[in-house]
Amino acid sequence: MRDVLPVLGRWYRAGLPFGLATVVEVSRSAPRDPGAAMAVGPDGEVVGSVSGGCVEGSVFELAQEVVASGEARLETFGYSDEDAFAVGLTCGGEITVLVRPVAPGLDPGFGAVVDAVAAGEPVVVATVTGGPARRGATLAVWPDRVSGTLGASGLDAAVTADARGELALGATGLRHYGPGGQRREDSVGVFLQSFAPPPRMLVFGAIDYAAAVARIGDFLGYRVTVCDARPVFATPRRFPEGVEVVAAWPHRYLRDTDTDERTVICVLTHDPKFDVPLLTEALRRPAAYIGAMGSRRTHDDRAKRLVEAGLTRHELSRLRSPVGLDLGARTPEEVAVSVAAEIVALRWGGTGAPLTVTQGAVHPPRPDGTDTGRRARPALQ
């Protein structure tokens, strides 16, 4: 959704109605996660995708129908569906898509959401998917205000509280309530889509590997900062456009920088005078990933120094070192792919093994972000 919002904002401000399709629920080996979006605008222009091509033709027709009727629709697409819209998912999974019309008269708060996302302001959009409430009704929730209504004050209050909790985690998903917001009932489906600011990637050490890691971090959607104590190396011209470059002592910069459970920290300096104070700071603060470059000999020496600096074994266990997965990487670009692969595997609980030697769904359910349900199987002899 974040990727298509700039286009949707232009259509909205021009007063042009469009159909917006959003994946609200998936099962088995679904091709896209909840929140994936596709929109059909004026003259049949299409932006985004809900399935990577499997059901886009049917969704295109649905989007045009909801714009004409003004009524939202909820459709499920699966491998063995038999209704008129069931072109099927070749991957064998199942997705449920909410398709709703959007225009200033139907959704007065949509423009404010577009502006908030563009400004990096956190916001959650709650949308009714079904039940005794108007399907397609929306409520936008910020940390300090709300816009819109789902049709009942009790439902608005319950969803607002839950939305702010989801926003703190950057989470997106489907919840159920009673008509008045009762939490022990499930007659009303509400899809909560979080637009939290992009997670941060902090790269320490302005070496040639840092440029490659920064580039792939930007590609993955991180807000990337490269930091090095040496001004001669910490220059913007050495790094991709849009990457922040800071000349400062790494541990001091990190000490004054907020991190959270989504932050990625890559230490590429492999110099004890930088690494030890920096990792001492990093391993005692929130972060999703902390990796450090160096040989195994460098790692052993660094670990010894960190223990001497006062880190506990538990704190040290968070360190991914040597950094990256075993891909046989040699060039800076290949090493960056190795590092990115480890970050993605850790984020979703992947094994890092080739899919040809794993069992289970390729895109298995991951309700808590860690349980992938996939297990390695023995390689063929």
Side-chain angles (χ1 to χ4, degrees):
M1 175 72 85
R2 186 187 296 274
D3 294 338
V4 303
L5 275 178
V7 175
L8 305 191
R10 290 196 295 272
W11 292 345
Y12 183 85
R13 293 185 183 89
L16 302 172
F18 56 89
L20 177 59
T22 305
V23 177
V24 297
E25 194 169 20
V26 302
S27 67
R28 301 192 304 277
S29 188
R32 300 294 302 274
D33 285 334
M38 167 182 159
V40 179
D43 301 321
E45 182 179 356
V46 177
V47 293
S49 171
V50 293
S51 73
C54 297
V55 301
E56 267 67 6
S58 295
V59 173
F60 177 86
E61 296 177 13
L62 278 171
Q64 292 184 314
E65 290 178 10
V66 301
V67 170
S69 69
E71 299 292 330
R73 296 271 298 274
L74 190 72
E75 294 288 344
T76 297
F77 300 91
Y79 184 75
S80 59
D81 291 342
E82 297 177 354
D83 62 33
F85 292 106
V87 295
L89 295 176
T90 56
C91 62
E94 186 175 273
I95 60 173
T96 299
V97 181
L98 175 69
V99 189
R100 66 184 182 95
V102 179
L106 296 172
D107 190 349
F110 188 84
V113 171
V114 173
D115 293 341
V117 175
E121 186 179 1
V123 61
V124 175
V125 177
T127 309
V128 174
T129 62
R134 184 175 66 85
R135 178 174 289 150
T138 61
L139 175 71
V141 181
W142 288 264
D144 58 351
R145 66 189 190 280
V146 300
S147 175
T149 180
L150 302 181
S153 59
L155 182 59
D156 287 348
V159 170
T160 296
D162 289 346
R164 286 175 174 153
E166 298 291 86
L167 189 58
L169 299 173
T172 287
L174 188 64
R175 289 198 176 225
H176 294 87
Y177 305 86
Q182 300 92 334
R183 298 181 186 278
R184 295 187 178 183
E185 299 183 25
D186 61 2
S187 59
V188 179
V190 179
F191 182 65
L192 303 181
Q193 185 164 17
S194 296
F195 295 95
R200 298 200 65 181
M201 173 182 280
L202 305 176
V203 181
F204 294 97
I207 60 175
D208 50 357
Y209 290 92
V213 170
R215 187 176 296 109
I216 202 166
D218 179 69
F219 176 76
L220 290 175
Y222 288 93
R223 181 163 65 94
V224 183
T225 298
V226 176
C227 175
D228 197 298
R230 302 162 294 182
V232 67
F233 295 117
T235 58
R237 68 176 179 273
R238 301 183 64 237
F239 296 93
E241 183 179 358
V243 171
E244 180 186 28
V245 182
V246 176
W249 274 85
H251 72 285
R252 294 172 185 166
Y253 174 78
L254 182 58
R255 186 174 57 206
D256 297 331
T257 300
D258 291 334
T259 64
D260 60 25
E261 288 75 11
R262 301 184 301 154
T263 303
V264 166
I265 299 174
C266 298
V267 179
L268 310 181
T269 48
H270 52 82
D271 184 330
K273 69 176 178 289
F274 296 125
D275 290 1
V276 173
L278 171 59
L279 288 171
T280 299
E281 176 69 30
L283 293 167
R284 288 173 171 168
R285 58 166 51 229
Y289 175 92
I290 304 170
M293 177 176 281
S295 66
R296 298 191 189 281
R297 182 176 180 179
T298 297
H299 168 74
D300 291 341
D301 177 71
R302 184 165 47 210
K304 179 180 178 181
R305 292 173 184 265
L306 289 170
V307 170
E308 292 172 351
L311 262 70
T312 66
R313 294 292 179 183
H314 174 71
E315 291 169 334
L316 195 58
S317 69
R318 300 178 61 204
L319 180 62
R320 314 290 290 195
S321 175
V323 70
L325 296 184
D326 179 15
L327 304 182
R330 293 292 186 271
T331 68
E333 291 74 19
E334 290 173 346
V335 170
V337 170
S338 168
V339 173
E342 184 174 44
I343 291 170
V344 172
L346 188 63
R347 177 183 181 185
W348 297 115
T351 65
L355 290 174
T356 55
V357 298
T358 62
Q359 292 178 325
V362 173
H363 302 288
R366 41 186 183 273
D368 61 1
T370 58
D371 181 13
T372 68
R374 182 168 57 239
R375 295 293 182 268
R377 60 178 170 85
L380 296 176
Q381 298 298 316

